[in-house]
Every structure is written in structure tokens, then in C-alpha cells.
Amino acid sequence: MAKISFKKLRGSQYLRLRLLLSTLSSTPILIEDIRADSMMPGLRPHEISFLRLLEKVCDGCKVEINETGTKLKYKPGIIMGGKHLSHDCGLSRSIGYFLEPLIVLALFGKKPLTISLRGITNDSKDPSVDTFKSTTLPILKHFGVNSDGLDLKIQSRAVAPGGGGEVILSVPILQGGLTAVSWIDEGLVKRIRGVTFSTRVSVQFENTMIHAARGIMNPMLADIHIFTDHKAGPLAGKSPGYGISLVAETTSGCFISADTAVCYARVEDESGVEDDEKKYLIPAEEVGEQIAGDLFAEIEQGGVVDSTHQGLLFLLCALCPQDVSKVRVGKLSPYGIETLRHIRDFLDVKFVIKPDPDTETVILKCVGCGLKNLSRKVS
Amino acid sequence: LAEMNASRQNINLMQLVYGNSTTVSVAAINGSIDEESDDEKFFKPKGEGTKKSKEGLDDDLNAEDCSKFKILSQNDWKDEEVKEKIRDRFVKMGWSKAARAGQVPE
């Protein structure tokens, strides 16, 4: 067997992105110095869990980790997809962490993917499952992903530290590839939708959040609906918590989201500072006001997606057929910038980035790498 | 002049994201194996990008892998004047358009 040349990378940063791009571009990677200087060196449970997830979804991929977990060798396989899969996402990161890369990966699979993911459905670090449903999936539709097979079902909810939630994700495969977009019109916000949830606490928390958020938003817009989703019993996971996800829909079909969740901190959180802060829960009223403000800040910034979804947007543009895509975003987010760099490294796609001084937004143009759904053709 | 300014900004943004053009071309040629150039890519943007990426997230090798980014907005959204700034981003409220024209909503 020929010696495989690995692409060398360092550090645990952007691990999901690297593994995703490695798989899509069939580039084996070798990552060294993963938290080598940390108190707890090596890969974290959620990172291991993500690797296991990759193994489930792909065929023939090879993962080698050294004893301390500071070195990872990954040789991608063929993305298989498949039905009735299930994966335990663990409790160190929420399901959103896994969904973000998984959804792109699954598009290029051999068979449509249906997978049940168990773990934490809502937290403040990753996009919640509600945001995923309301914002991320519509973004995919802009790129010509068939909306029939695309769905996320929230079976039960859970927050940290206990977990115990479950969602079912179904993603169709791409028949012809993505469609390049020219997506620079943000439009005007025509309605705001939202979902609040509460697990193992009174539904009153939700009402308070809605009331507070509406207090900020109502003067701007009449068409606001925020639904409640109160879970109790076995559907509510093991820990108390509440949260809210808002999405602003514009006249040109853009979705701008903001979400958060409040719950008790995880025990194994290493950053003691954060622990202290989270000893008490932020009152529901504050959460509502804060999230409405966050949403307004995203709207003010402009762009066809919010800052959380910039990475996904760039990635989809780069994976398009060899055709020009043009998108507008607000200020580039750090994750977005890093995604652009990784896209250049793995897919050899470079964006032309032009600021638009009038609106203080940024316009990005690229020619897609023309990635075909290779897995599908193999059969 | 405005055009020149715009084109300069354009280059700056490209540089901010991709680093110097020379580094990029070198990296593109032997980037897959050469660890040194990888290092360069990681650290290059720091000097150039201190203005915009002052969060410094992209400089930490083991930064948290998190796409969510909170805009640090100092705006107090309860303040009506602040809200006025983004009013043109919203569809006008149909049922109260006439009533609200020219007056500050409650």
C-alpha cells in the first residue's frame, strides 16, 4: 500500500471543521499538540464522541489516537449515511455541536441519513436544536437541498448537566450537487418567530421570557409569535432549565437567529471562573430581554445569515459546482474567518472578499470546488 | 478617492483572512506537508488583524470549537432612539403605519 501523506495540523481548534473538510475532500489529516500544555491534555469527550459519530456514518475511515490523546490520525472513508442509526452525544457539548458538521457531511452520503442523537438539546454554547430547525435547515434549502427529506424532530429535550434529550435528524443526499447562489439581498424583517422551552421547571419561566422579549420587540414589528414547549416527565431530561430561540424572517427569505438556554453548570467544566458565574441562574426576564437584544444586534449587523451561520454559508458556497456564488454577511465572525482559511487549505477555494461601505457589510464571492457526491456514484 | 479607499479595504480584508499573498502561494504549493508554513498561517494574521479580530480566538491553538458568536453590542435595546437606528430593517407595521408615521412609538 502506498504511503499516505497526511496533512499536518496542530491543536484542538476547529476540530469538527477539519474532520468535516478532511472527509469531504478525502484528505487524511494528522493533528498534533492537542491540548499538550493543558492540565487535562488530549481530546475531550465530545471530540471523541464526534469521531465515533464519523465512524458510524462513514465506512472505512480510520481513527488513531495516541495514548495521551494529544495526537490524532484520521483517514477519511466513504460517507455512507443510512437509516435507524443512533448516537449518544455525551454530556460535554450539546447536540448542536454534532449537528453542524453532520448535516453537511450527510448531504454527500451514499444513502439518505436518519439518525437519532441523544444528549443535551439546548445550551448556550452551541446553536440549539430549535435554531437548527428554524434557521439552519432553511439555509440549506437556498442551496437546492431537497426539503422533503430534510427534517429535525425533537423527541425530548434536556439541558446540562443531566442530559437525556433526543432528536431525530433526517438529511437527504444530493442528487446533482448544490446550486450556486447569488444571495445578497437581506430584505426587511417581516416576522419574528420563536420557541421557548422549559424542562423540569414551571411553564411560568417561559411566559416571563416571552413577555420580556416581546417588550423589546413589539414596538418594532407586529408579526411576532413565540411558541412554548413545556416538557415534563420523561420528555424533559434529567436537569432543570429553560431557554429561548428567536428567528427573524425577512422578505427575501433570510433567517436571522439568536438563542440561549439557562441551566446549571456542568460538573466537569474545567474553567472555574465560569462555574462561579453559573452558580445562580439568570432570571427568565433578563434572558428574554437579552435574547431580543441579541437578535436585534444580529439584524443591525446585516447580512443574509447571522454570525453563527457564517461558517456554514461559506462552506456551502465552496462546495457548490464550479459556478460563482455571491453572498453578503455582516461583520465576519472569528469562526467564519477560520472557516474561510480552512476552505482554502482543504478545498483550494479562495473567496473574493469585498466590504460594502454603504451598509457596513461584506460581500464574498467564490467559485465552488465542484465537489460531487462521490459516495453515491460508487454503488 | 472613495473608490481607492474601498479597494484598499478590500485588500485588507483579503489579507486579514488569508494572510499575505506570498505566504498563501507558498502555503498552497507545499502546505499539505510543510509544517512550518502551517505555523505561518496560524500566526501570520495576528499582526495584521489585531484591529478586527481582537478577540484573539484564532490565535489559540486549542481554542474552543464553537461557531456561535455573540455580537458585543453596547446598545440598550430598550432605548427608543437606539431602536430607531434599525427601524429601516423592518417591514413597516401595516395596521399602524399611518398612526406611527413621524411619531415615536410607545
Side-chain angles (χ1 to χ4, degrees):
Chain A
M1 212 169 98
K3 195 170 175 283
I4 312 158
S5 69
F6 287 89
K7 192 179 176 72
K8 281 189 186 170
L9 300 161
R10 292 179 66 220
S12 70
Q13 57 172 354
Y14 308 103
L15 184 76
R16 289 180 298 168
L17 192 59
R18 287 167 169 182
L19 289 172
L20 171 63
L21 283 167
S22 158
T23 313
L24 289 174
S25 63
S26 309
T27 318
I29 51 172
L30 172 68
I31 305 177
E32 291 172 310
D33 291 345
I34 299 173
R35 297 193 186 88
D37 301 331
S38 164
M39 287 263 285
M40 292 152 63
L43 292 162
R44 293 278 174 274
H46 53 268
E47 290 162 350
I48 303 276
S49 179
F50 181 61
L51 285 165
R52 296 281 165 261
L53 177 61
L54 281 177
E55 285 178 332
K56 268 177 203 164
V57 177
C58 302
D59 241 16
C61 73
K62 259 193 197 153
V63 179
E64 275 174 50
I65 305 166
N66 74 348
E67 244 170 78
T68 48
T70 52
K71 200 166 159 184
L72 165 72
K73 230 183 211 182
Y74 175 73
K75 190 175 140 307
I78 299 168
I79 310 160
M80 293 302 284
K83 284 190 165 62
H84 310 299
L85 297 174
S86 83
H87 181 72
D88 190 349
C89 297
L91 301 171
S92 55
R93 283 297 277 270
S94 75
I95 290 174
Y97 174 89
F98 299 85
L99 285 174
E100 286 180 293
L102 182 61
I103 190 150
V104 181
L105 198 67
L107 290 174
F108 294 90
K110 189 171 177 181
K111 282 181 267 176
L113 175 77
T114 308
I115 188 164
S116 138
L117 299 165
R118 293 185 311 281
I120 295 159
T121 56
N122 298 69
D123 80 347
S124 51
K125 223 182 241 176
D126 292 298
S128 74
V129 288
D130 304 297
T131 305
F132 202 82
K133 210 172 159 174
S134 66
T135 311
T136 314
L137 298 184
I139 290 175
L140 289 179
K141 287 174 195 164
H142 270 271
F143 286 85
V145 176
N146 193 354
S147 60
D148 282 348
L150 193 63
D151 192 26
L152 182 76
K153 272 196 201 87
I154 301 165
Q155 305 287 80
S156 60
R157 286 178 187 274
V159 295
E166 187 185 9
V167 299
I168 295 174
L169 173 76
S170 8
V171 190
I173 53 164
L174 282 175
Q175 295 296 342
L178 296 162
T179 334
V181 292
S182 177
W183 194 12
I184 48 169
D185 180 19
E186 314 148 319
L188 300 170
V189 175
K190 63 173 177 182
R191 58 174 165 238
I192 293 176
R193 292 288 178 269
V195 184
T196 62
F197 78 92
S198 55
T199 57
R200 302 200 166 264
V201 293
S202 155
V203 71
Q204 197 54 43
F205 283 95
E206 296 186 51
N207 298 333
T208 313
M209 281 188 289
I210 292 173
H211 185 79
R214 273 181 168 279
I216 304 244
M217 299 189 299
N218 265 359
M220 305 297 286
L221 196 69
D223 192 355
I224 301 174
H225 283 281
I226 304 174
F227 302 93
T228 56
D229 187 8
H230 177 66
K231 296 282 191 202
L235 294 178
K238 290 168 189 150
S239 308
Y242 49 89
I244 181 166
S245 159
L246 294 177
V247 56
E249 197 184 332
T250 72
T251 46
S252 60
C254 304
F255 293 83
I256 310 291
S257 73
D259 69 45
T260 193
V262 176
C263 61
Y264 290 105
R266 298 178 176 94
V267 189
E268 70 264 58
D269 257 6
E270 45 181 327
S271 47
V273 189
E274 230 175 353
D275 269 359
D276 290 343
E277 278 171 7
K278 282 180 183 169
K279 278 271 158 59
Y280 73 96
L281 299 183
I282 309 166
E285 196 182 343
E286 240 171 75
V287 174
E289 281 175 1
Q290 208 178 26
I291 208 67
D294 285 354
L295 184 69
F296 277 5
E298 290 282 0
I299 293 168
E300 183 191 28
Q301 181 180 245
V304 293
V305 296
D306 51 63
S307 49
T308 303
H309 287 92
Q310 280 181 15
L312 176 73
L313 180 71
F314 301 152
L315 201 53
L316 290 171
C317 285
L319 293 172
C320 276
Q322 290 182 333
D323 209 345
V324 179
S325 283
K326 196 173 170 190
V327 291
R328 182 199 296 274
V329 297
K331 202 177 155 222
L332 286 170
S333 71
Y335 192 81
I337 293 174
E338 202 54 47
T339 307
L340 289 172
R341 289 183 191 146
H342 278 90
I343 287 171
R344 191 235 2 232
D345 293 349
F346 279 93
L347 302 173
D348 204 17
V349 172
K350 214 170 155 185
F351 284 73
V352 176
I353 308 162
K354 273 193 193 146
D356 181 359
D358 293 342
T359 52
E360 288 180 35
T361 52
V362 182
I363 291 181
L364 295 103
K365 271 191 280 191
C366 81
V367 176
C369 73
L371 188 77
K372 297 259 166 51
N373 191 343
L374 291 170
S375 315
R376 192 171 63 91
K377 279 190 178 162
V378 170
S379 58
Chain B
L1 192 78
E3 214 169 87
M4 265 178 66
N5 194 24
S7 72
R8 194 180 306 143
Q9 268 191 349
N10 171 22
I11 294 163
N12 282 351
L13 264 184
M14 291 282 285
Q15 267 185 8
L16 171 70
V17 173
Y18 293 126
N20 268 342
S21 52
T22 46
T23 345
V24 170
S25 56
V26 171
I29 294 161
N30 56 6
S32 52
I33 334 147
D34 191 356
E35 205 181 331
E36 286 307 302
S37 72
D38 267 7
D39 279 1
E40 252 174 87
K41 264 178 276 161
F42 284 130
F43 297 119
K44 202 80 189 174
K46 191 182 180 183
E48 292 154 359
T50 37
K51 197 172 65 186
K52 276 217 163 178
S53 65
K54 52 177 170 260
E55 287 81 13
L57 266 173
D58 43 2
D59 300 317
D60 184 2
L61 270 185
N62 297 306
E64 182 127 51
D65 188 0
C66 191
S67 71
K68 210 156 144 179
F69 176 64
K70 204 168 171 130
I71 301 170
L72 298 165
S73 163
Q74 271 83 47
N75 288 340
D76 176 15
W77 294 107
K78 279 189 217 166
D79 188 358
E80 292 302 339
E81 275 175 35
V82 176
K83 277 187 194 173
E84 276 314 306
K85 285 200 291 189
I86 63 160
R87 182 162 295 279
D88 59 356
R89 292 247 184 233
F90 288 84
V91 173
K92 290 254 164 38
M93 280 206 259
W95 48 273
S96 55
K97 201 167 157 188
R100 274 163 203 273
Q103 72 170 54
V104 182
E106 67 280 328

